[in-house]
């Protein structure tokens, strides 16, 4: 594999939110979650800052393995669509970008994907859950939902960076996870700075899935599994803090973000990484505790 992403984590001053979400991904039953690590970049001897180098979400036997006839799809904003993208919009106005493989407008493959996703949506909104479960891998939806709900990931409300895979003869699956820079309380709108309140649960497809008692039962069971790893997440957060603390200070000398407002920060006035870390950890703990009660009472 030769394609890698250098994440600047510019809006996330802790620089660790995406890595923490990936940790949840490794704990899950999702087919694949990107691996990543932190690096310092020097160009001609000049320090350019700290970056998170991570595997790119792409079709490959060692990444998103969709075989020779599968498809990688992404829910995205129309404003992010490029001129050569192949996409379609469902009857309820969800835009799916066909990321892999390269296909043509109006081809048999194009209509196969479009018709399949529209059928999934129709069964959902008709509350035909028996038929729906013939089309979608419910367990992948449950784990994807819980990871994004724990993080209260703003874009995961079927707005952007929501990936799915579809292999003919198999069921539609959610994943992999991606894009958590404005998650875990690092946002100042939609009430997503608050550790309380559902967010992903209110997205169009997920909201309808919660009408199914079996889906709710699986969510309750799987949340308790993730909750049992709450301390592991906090420990991992603290380990990351120690690992990249010196590097973050060097990065701040280059980019000067600490203590300044970077859209859409909520806790932007913190003048130290210690304060950033305390805010992040407290938010995660409070989020887990709020969800424990809220999900028990569904």
């Amino acid at each position: 594999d030769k394609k890698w992403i250098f994440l600047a984590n510019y809006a996330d001053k802790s620089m660790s939110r995406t890595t923490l979400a990936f940790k949840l991904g490794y704990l899950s039953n999702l087919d694949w979650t990107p691996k990543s690590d932190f690096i310092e970049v020097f160009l001609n001897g000049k320090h350019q800052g700290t970056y998170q180098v991570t595997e790119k979400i792409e079709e490959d036997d060692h990444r998103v393995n969709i075989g020779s006839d599968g498809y990688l799809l992404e829910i995205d904003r129309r404003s992010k669509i490029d001129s050569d993208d192949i996409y379609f919009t469902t009857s309820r106005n969800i835009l799916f970008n066909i990321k892999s493989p390269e296909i043509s407008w109006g081809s048999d493959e194009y209509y196969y994907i479009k018709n399949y996703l529209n059928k999934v949506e129709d069964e959902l909104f008709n509350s035909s859950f028996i038929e729906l479960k013939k089309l979608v891998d419910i367990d992948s939806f449950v784990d994807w939902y819980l990871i994004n709900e724990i993080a209260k990931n703003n874009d995961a409300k079927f707005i952007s960076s929501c990936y799915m895979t579809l292999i003919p003869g198999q069921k539609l699956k959610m994943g992999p996870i991606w894009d958590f820079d404005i998650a875990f309380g690092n946002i100042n709108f939609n009430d997503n700075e608050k550790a309380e309140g559902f967010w992903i649960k209110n997205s169009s497809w997920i909201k309808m899935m919660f009408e199914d008692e079996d889906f709710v039962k699986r969510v309750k069971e799987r949340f308790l599994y993730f909750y049992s790893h709450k301390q592991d997440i906090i420990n991992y957060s603290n380990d990351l803090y120690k690992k990249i603390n010196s590097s973050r200070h060097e990065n701040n000398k280059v980019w000067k973000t600490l203590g300044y407002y970077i859209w859409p920060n909520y806790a932007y006035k913190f003048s130290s990484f210690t304060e950033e870390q305390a805010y992040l950890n407290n938010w995660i703990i409070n989020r887990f505790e709020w969800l424990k009660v809220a999900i028990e009472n569904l």
Side-chain angles (χ1 to χ4, degrees), residues 41-228:
V41 175
F42 291 81
L43 181 62
N44 297 327
K46 184 177 180 182
H47 187 227
Q48 303 294 321
T50 301
Y51 295 82
Q52 182 181 351
V53 58
T54 181
E55 292 177 300
K56 183 178 185 289
I57 292 182
E58 62 179 350
E59 185 277 322
D60 185 271
D61 290 349
H62 302 290
R63 293 189 180 178
V64 183
N65 188 356
I66 53 176
S68 60
D69 60 347
Y71 307 98
L72 172 62
L73 314 173
E74 179 187 9
I75 295 174
D76 213 343
R77 300 182 181 93
R78 189 173 295 275
S79 61
K80 292 176 64 178
I81 294 295
D82 294 328
S83 59
D84 58 347
D85 284 339
I86 306 296
Y87 62 93
F88 62 90
T89 303
T90 66
S91 57
R92 287 169 178 82
N93 208 34
I94 297 176
L95 189 151
F96 282 88
N97 191 358
I98 303 171
K99 305 294 288 186
S100 294
E102 294 184 4
I103 65 171
S104 303
W105 288 102
S107 64
D108 290 344
E109 292 173 301
Y110 175 84
Y111 281 111
Y112 167 76
I113 301 166
K114 181 177 180 179
N115 292 340
Y116 196 105
L117 270 294
N118 272 300
K119 182 171 177 57
V120 167
E121 194 173 76
D122 288 344
E123 300 296 354
L124 257 178
F125 282 84
N126 289 326
S127 298
S128 305
F129 297 118
I130 293 176
E131 294 302 313
L132 177 71
K133 289 167 188 173
K134 297 176 183 178
L135 300 173
V136 305
D137 184 291
I138 297 296
D139 289 336
S140 71
F141 274 78
V142 169
D143 273 20
W144 182 93
Y145 162 72
L146 282 170
I147 291 169
N148 283 283
E149 190 72 273
I150 290 167
K152 212 174 186 186
N153 185 6
N154 188 79
D155 290 344
K157 194 178 178 181
F158 275 34
I159 296 171
S160 179
S161 299
C162 301
Y163 289 90
M164 301 183 191
T165 58
L166 176 62
I167 300 175
Q170 299 184 29
K171 298 178 181 180
L172 180 72
K173 287 185 175 183
M174 285 299 301
I177 56 172
W178 188 252
D179 198 4
F180 288 81
D181 58 334
I182 53 173
F184 296 105
N186 189 38
I187 187 171
N188 62 5
F189 57 91
N190 290 331
D191 283 337
N192 284 341
E193 75 280 4
K194 298 176 181 177
E196 303 80 25
F198 286 112
W199 177 246
I200 313 300
K201 180 178 177 289
N202 299 324
S203 63
S204 56
W205 282 23
I206 303 298
K207 180 179 180 180
M208 297 307 300
M209 286 186 171
F210 270 93
E211 297 294 317
D212 177 37
E213 292 181 1
D214 179 58
F215 182 81
V216 174
K217 179 175 179 289
R218 296 194 206 191
V219 166
K220 290 182 176 183
E221 291 172 352
R222 286 299 284 171
F223 175 75
L224 290 177
Y225 164 76
F226 285 108
Y227 183 84
S228 72

